[in-house]
Amino acid sequence: MWSALTPAAVLWSALAPWLDRSHAGVAPAGLQQPVHHDASGSPFAGPYAHGGAWAEALTRAKDMVGNMTLEEKVNITSAFTGPCQANSGGVPRLGFPGLCFNDGPAGPRYTDFVTQFPSEFSAVASFDRALMTERAARIGREFRGKGINVELGPVTGGPLGRSPYAGRNWEAFSPDPYLSSTMSFLTIRGMQASGLITCAKHYILYEQEPVCTGALDPTGGRTDCADVSSEVDDKTMKELYLPSFAETVRAGTGSVMCSYNRINGTPACQSDDAMNRILKDELGFQGFILSDFGATHSTAPSANAGMDMELPSTAYYGEKLTDAVRKGEVNLTRLDDMAHRVLTPWIASQRGDYPAVNYQKYDLTDEVVVDGHVFRNQHVDNRGDNARFARKVAAESTVLLKNNGVLPVKGVRRIGVFGSDANYPSTLSGCGPDLFCMIASDKRYWNGTVTIGGGSGAAYSDYVAAPIEAITLRARREGIRVDHVLHDDAAHLGQMGWVARQSELCLVLAGLFLVEGWDREHLRLDRDAVDMIKHVAVHCAGDVVVVLHAGGQVLMEDWIDLPKIGGVVFAGYPGQETGNALVDVLWGDVNPSGKLPFTMGKAASDWPSGNIVREMSTLEAYPRSVFSEGLAIDYKWFDKHAIVPRYEFGHGLSYTTFEMSDLRVGRKHREVRDTVQQTNERHDGHGDLYDVLYVANVNVTNTGQRAGAEVAQLYMAYPESEVEQPPRHLRGYAKAFLHPGQAETVEFALRTKDLSVWDVRRQLWTIPNGTFTFWAGSSSRVLPLRVEVEIA
């Protein structure tokens, strides 16, 4: 979103083949009945907002809109120059100031005195619901403190993580829809607890960057780009890619961002089926849909398809929308609905006592003049103890992949530290708010330790606790000598060998910096990191521990089994407290408990080929990406095709040991009580789709000598009749902190939807009859406990 890509020619397609206008099936008891589409002859086919849990706010919004002129209604839907990353118009005479929008999912972007938290992709490795909720609440309070009305985040399934090559996977949670959807729900709830309005993004099927054929521009941006059409079937859409967005609606997100990509040929921000039929009708979304930056392609078609606001500037709304209403191309009742949807969440959560904007996004100075307007930065600081908490999140999200006993650090007096990833960044803000540099390079890069990726998911840090700083300070307290070579290029291999031969323990830090706008060309680490690891492993006098700061899967086969590689730590994108959190884990102050939220393969060929489109077609107007793998992505692909991964989904070691026993699954109905906004999803049977029907329990015991936490994981297989389903699905996770010898029984609640499949013919969720199999264990491949349950 930090730059508008050159748009492809717009192609208006017929209805997407995975959608059906029939609304077949029975609405479950107690659910809001679907809102009927407008049959008055208007080009808008509905639905109109009914408010749901915000019914009172909607009534007040209707009163306000009823007193507005046509131009004022249009103002609310359109962008204007202002202090924020994006700014919508207001109606000051009626008390509506307009909305301030700002990235992002790891903390407020474009401003100072904020916390750079671990990315979603990293934090989700904690598998800790309470930790993730608190993380979200703290981020939300920082946004509120700056006067930001709408956070452009979190990233809730767009991308989900279909391909390991996708350059923006690090901004999202996980390619597993259960893990992604449950964490999306908790994150929306946590962030909005402060009164902040969240924007769930990028809706939907946004699984890669555009295909670009032109030369790089002066900022390293790509040119001559065409958005990719995601070609997907109905079942895959509903079971794999939609659940995370369904959970954001249920959690009460105030807004949703439509994405750059096409959906079966139609631009996502112009798709009536995606926005009106699915999001607003089937899911019952009551907030507003805003465009990604530069993702709008039309005026009337976009408005009638359900897009309520254009950002970050006015190219198709504004005066063009006013003209479209006057010409009858957009019905006035549709414009009213757009205004209602924008105002309703603002009235419900912010009207009255929400702080005014107190920063400006253009730079970090006190004041800036833009188009004759003066915008000021008051440098408001409401971080509190968020740095301490960010350190906790980073440590508890660190995944110990391999350990031969070298960790935690003990009994050594000489440590060597290697790699530029251990060093301070060359600048914190000098390369701009997208956090990538272009100095003496034609490609975007980052120098120093990688704490976060580049682009929309980035956030300034006011400091970085670099690994070399934290390691040196800890070593100094313990009388340990530390030497270092903070480079990772071939020219410094000689120095590395010299230092390694004198070190009892070698810590090698390697990074992978990902930036918006670019998909990955390969699955390797940056620069000469692999040669560095191998060289240090040959020369080190003792064991080697490799620390990876990466935004996705990396191939390790060149070095993982070398004799001296005693430990491997995956630290993801840990944010500003990177070094402190790493030392907490390396020295054992924090017992590692993170689990991989994705699969590490052994070779690029382990994943399906062609799931990133890199070239324009000479026969078609736009590039097409066919989701031929269906439901089987990440570990489900590996399971379906019996591929042995390097490290499986859910894998993560500890400094202690655990044992699980006595898995049991029984029927136990509980009515759902955490829904904020009811969805209209149709299903067989009675009650709510999110009611609990069954409960699984397993005993977890700490059998080791250290206190620590284990993530118990529950997986499920559908009856054999469901031939399209992969072998196993994650259906529960619970983190238990246990002292040596302590045992705890953890619970996994299984909702109606968790047991259901999407019936394409009847267009509803249904629980298949037959034998369900459940496994419990510590990862997707370590599942010692198994139970079968007959459900009819």
Side-chain angles (χ1 to χ4, degrees):
M1 279 163 24
W2 40 264
S3 63
L5 297 167
T6 305
V10 176
L11 178 65
W12 183 248
S13 71
L15 292 178
W18 42 267
L19 299 171
D20 181 351
R21 282 277 183 191
S22 65
H23 298 314
V26 179
L31 288 191
Q32 178 76 36
Q33 293 293 321
V35 181
H36 293 294
H37 295 290
D38 184 5
S40 66
S42 162
F44 176 59
Y48 294 98
H50 57 73
W54 302 328
E56 182 179 344
L58 175 62
T59 298
R60 295 170 66 187
K62 288 182 176 179
D63 288 343
M64 289 180 68
V65 173
N67 288 306
M68 291 181 189
T69 65
L70 171 62
E71 289 76 12
E72 287 173 331
K73 295 174 185 179
V74 170
N75 267 6
I76 292 176
T77 73
S78 304
F80 292 84
T81 300
C84 304
Q85 182 182 359
N87 309 266
S88 66
V91 186
R93 69 181 183 86
L94 296 179
F96 179 56
L99 298 177
C100 166
F101 299 80
N102 205 85
D103 289 327
R109 186 175 169 225
Y110 289 103
T111 187
D112 51 8
F113 296 98
V114 295
T115 306
Q116 186 192 79
F117 283 85
S119 71
E120 288 182 16
F121 165 87
S122 297
V124 76
S126 68
F127 279 72
D128 189 323
R129 297 172 193 258
L131 189 79
M132 291 296 288
T133 301
E134 179 66 15
R135 171 187 177 273
R138 287 172 178 264
I139 291 175
R141 289 195 292 270
E142 288 202 14
F143 274 87
R144 178 190 174 97
K146 294 291 184 179
I148 299 165
N149 302 103
V150 183
E151 178 201 352
L152 298 174
V155 178
T156 56
L160 183 67
R162 173 183 177 236
S163 170
Y165 291 95
R168 298 186 70 178
N169 286 348
W170 65 272
E171 297 180 43
F173 290 114
S174 167
D176 179 78
Y178 181 85
L179 182 58
S180 174
S181 63
T182 52
M183 289 302 190
S184 294
F185 178 88
L186 294 173
T187 299
I188 294 290
R189 289 287 301 269
M191 287 178 170
Q192 292 200 157
S194 66
L196 176 72
I197 298 170
T198 55
C199 177
K201 65 182 188 182
H202 306 84
Y203 182 78
I204 189 171
L205 301 171
Y206 175 52
E207 295 297 320
Q208 74 163 89
E209 295 296 78
V211 173
C212 305
T213 58
L216 298 182
D217 67 22
T219 68
R222 302 160 75 202
T223 60
D224 296 334
C225 299
D227 295 321
V228 175
S229 177
S230 297
E231 311 279 326
V232 68
D233 64 272
D234 187 26
K235 189 176 186 68
T236 299
M237 170 73 169
K238 295 298 176 63
E239 293 187 15
L240 185 58
Y241 295 100
L242 191 61
S244 293
F245 288 99
E247 289 287 1
T248 69
V249 171
R250 198 171 71 86
T253 188
S255 63
V256 172
M257 177 184 286
C258 55
S259 51
Y260 287 124
N261 58 286
R262 295 169 178 267
I263 302 173
N264 291 353
T266 302
C269 291
Q270 200 170 289
S271 173
D272 174 69
D273 286 286
M275 293 189 290
N276 282 332
R277 197 183 72 83
I278 294 182
L279 184 58
K280 290 183 175 179
D281 194 348
E282 183 176 321
L283 297 187
F285 176 56
Q286 297 302 306
F288 62 100
I289 300 175
L290 59 94
S291 71
D292 204 340
F293 291 12
T296 307
H297 298 280
S298 61
T299 303
S302 294
N304 291 327
M307 196 186 85
D308 301 298
M309 180 184 290
E310 180 189 16
L311 293 180
S313 57
T314 300
Y316 293 96
Y317 280 16
E319 291 182 1
K320 292 182 180 179
L321 180 57
T322 302
D323 290 343
V325 173
R326 286 174 172 156
K327 293 176 181 177
E329 297 169 350
V330 175
N331 196 296
L332 184 59
T333 58
R334 166 61 184 139
L335 179 61
D336 287 348
D337 184 65
M338 295 162 72
H340 296 157
R341 287 178 175 276
V342 173
L343 289 170
T344 296
W346 175 76
I347 292 170
S349 60
Q350 295 182 356
R351 189 176 188 181
D353 64 347
Y354 203 79
V357 177
N358 54 55
Y359 80 105
Q360 50 88 3
K361 73 103 176 182
Y362 299 92
D363 56 33
L364 301 181
T365 62
D366 295 342
E367 183 177 290
V368 67
V369 179
V370 180
D371 296 337
H373 302 281
V374 178
F375 302 121
R376 294 182 175 86
N377 184 3
Q378 298 176 30
H379 307 286
V380 170
D381 184 350
N382 68 327
R383 291 172 294 178
D385 66 346
N386 283 351
R388 177 198 58 78
F389 184 77
R391 177 175 179 170
K392 175 182 173 67
V393 175
E396 295 195 14
S397 305
T398 299
V399 184
L400 181 60
L401 296 177
K402 178 179 180 177
N403 188 21
N404 68 355
V406 63
L407 296 176
V409 174
K410 56 187 179 298
V412 298
R413 299 183 62 205
R414 290 171 287 124
I415 294 177
V417 181
F418 305 88
S420 64
D421 188 64
N423 203 4
Y424 294 95
S426 58
T427 177
L428 293 182
S429 64
C431 290
D434 296 317
L435 294 192
F436 61 76
C437 296
M438 290 293 299
I439 302 168
S441 173
D442 61 356
K443 190 169 182 179
R444 296 163 175 172
Y445 68 90
W446 188 246
N447 277 333
T449 190
V450 183
T451 62
I452 205 78
S456 304
Y460 282 138
S461 58
D462 288 333
Y463 67 86
V464 166
I468 189 61
E469 170 192 295
I471 292 167
T472 301
L473 289 175
R474 181 61 177 258
R476 191 178 301 163
R477 294 206 310 265
E478 299 186 5
I480 299 172
R481 181 182 187 274
V482 174
D483 202 347
H484 57 261
V485 181
L486 303 182
H487 299 275
D488 46 16
D489 56 283
H492 290 86
L493 291 180
Q495 291 180 357
M496 294 178 195
W498 174 266
V499 173
R501 285 193 295 271
Q502 304 172 69
S503 302
E504 297 172 272
L505 174 65
C506 295
L507 303 177
V508 183
L509 283 84
L512 170 66
F513 177 68
L514 300 178
V515 59
E516 181 179 351
W518 292 85
D519 289 319
R520 298 172 64 181
E521 298 174 0
H522 53 70
L523 300 180
R524 301 188 298 275
L525 293 163
D526 283 344
R527 302 185 179 91
D528 297 325
V530 170
D531 290 339
M532 171 182 66
I533 294 169
K534 291 162 67 175
H535 192 73
V536 172
V538 168
H539 293 283
C540 189
D543 283 322
V544 177
V545 174
V546 178
V547 178
L548 301 173
H549 286 129
Q553 294 91 330
V554 294
L555 300 179
M556 308 179 184
E557 299 312 296
D558 286 346
W559 52 267
I560 189 68
D561 290 325
L562 294 176
K564 290 187 179 178
I565 302 291
V568 180
V569 174
F570 187 87
Y573 287 168
Q576 68 184 41
E577 285 289 327
T578 172
N580 292 330
L582 178 62
V583 164
D584 289 343
V585 171
L586 293 180
W587 264 262
D589 299 337
V590 173
N591 193 342
S593 59
K595 302 286 186 176
L596 281 181
F598 57 86
T599 301
M600 287 280 197
K602 294 184 176 181
S605 58
D606 288 347
W607 287 274
S609 61
N611 58 8
I612 286 286
V613 178
R614 301 188 185 276
E615 297 180 356
M616 286 289 296
S617 169
T618 58
L619 302 177
E620 297 174 295
Y622 49 82
R624 297 169 62 246
S625 181
V626 180
F627 289 35
S628 58
E629 71 283 348
L631 301 172
I633 68 170
D634 198 69
Y635 71 89
K636 297 172 186 178
W637 173 269
F638 281 71
D639 288 350
K640 180 177 180 179
H641 297 280
I643 300 168
V644 178
R646 168 49 62 183
Y647 294 113
E648 71 273 18
F649 176 95
H651 170 75
L653 303 176
S654 171
Y655 296 150
T656 188
T657 55
F658 299 93
E659 183 178 282
M660 296 186 199
S661 61
D662 194 20
L663 172 64
R664 50 214 182 272
V665 181
R667 187 173 181 89
K668 189 172 185 178
H669 179 258
R670 298 176 188 162
E671 290 185 357
V672 60
R673 299 192 181 280
D674 60 358
T675 295
V676 175
Q677 286 285 15
Q678 194 82 17
T679 74
N680 288 325
E681 296 167 278
R682 299 152 182 79
H683 68 95
D684 278 329
H686 301 287
D688 194 287
L689 184 61
Y690 295 91
D691 281 354
V692 173
L693 289 188
Y694 283 78
V695 172
N697 298 96
V698 68
N699 298 337
V700 185
T701 303
N702 185 339
T703 57
Q705 303 301 311
R706 283 175 170 263
E710 175 65 306
V711 178
Q713 301 166 44
L714 182 74
Y715 293 83
M716 183 193 79
Y718 287 101
E720 292 182 357
S721 60
E722 298 303 310
V723 295
E724 294 180 83
Q725 296 296 330
R728 277 182 291 276
H729 301 260
L730 180 70
R731 282 297 180 264
Y733 54 92
K735 195 166 192 174
F737 181 87
L738 302 169
H739 293 283
Q742 184 181 2
E744 182 178 320
T745 300
V746 300
E747 178 182 288
F748 311 101
L750 295 161
R751 305 167 301 179
T752 300
K753 191 172 184 179
D754 300 329
L755 302 169
S756 298
V757 296
W758 180 252
D759 187 318
V760 175
R761 182 181 62 82
R762 295 191 297 152
Q763 290 290 290
L764 51 73
W765 293 97
T766 185
I767 299 177
N769 295 329
T771 302
F772 285 71
T773 305
F774 295 90
W775 295 266
S778 59
S779 77
S780 63
R781 292 283 175 110
V782 180
L783 298 168
L785 306 177
R786 182 175 184 271
V787 168
E788 292 184 351
V789 177
E790 196 73 21
I791 298 179

